[in-house]
Amino acid sequence: MDKNPTPSIRDLYSHFSDKELAEAEANLERYLSLVLRIFERIESEMDPQVDPLAPGTGTLSCILPGSKSSA
């Protein structure tokens, strides 16, 4: 068992106000969504049959060059 629990955003930024903590958490979620999207894009380019790890996580859609937009 891990003796050192994972720190929360509040632990890391104890001097932030509640509003700043909410913004920091939202920024972290957007960053992690971007990282996941990059990973899934690389995976799909390597093996198009691979399903996304987290479908519907609110990440941005990707239109590949040469494909038709569904706008």
Side-chain angles (χ1 to χ4, degrees), residues 1-12:
M1 185 186 263
D2 189 12
K3 293 180 182 181
N4 296 324
T6 304
S8 68
I9 289 180
R10 185 173 297 279
D11 294 333
L12 295 173

Side-chain angles (χ1 to χ4, degrees), residues 17-66:
S17 68
D18 286 342
K19 183 179 178 181
E20 291 171 318
L21 287 170
E23 184 177 344
E25 188 169 338
N27 288 339
L28 178 60
E29 286 183 25
R30 283 194 301 271
Y31 172 76
L32 293 175
S33 292
L34 175 63
V35 169
L36 179 60
R37 179 73 185 115
I38 292 168
F39 174 79
E40 288 177 345
R41 172 121 184 231
I42 291 169
E43 284 289 300
S44 71
E45 289 173 355
M46 294 174 67
D47 185 359
Q49 301 300 318
V50 173
D51 290 329
L53 290 176
T57 57
T59 57
L60 299 174
S61 62
C62 172
I63 299 174
L64 298 174

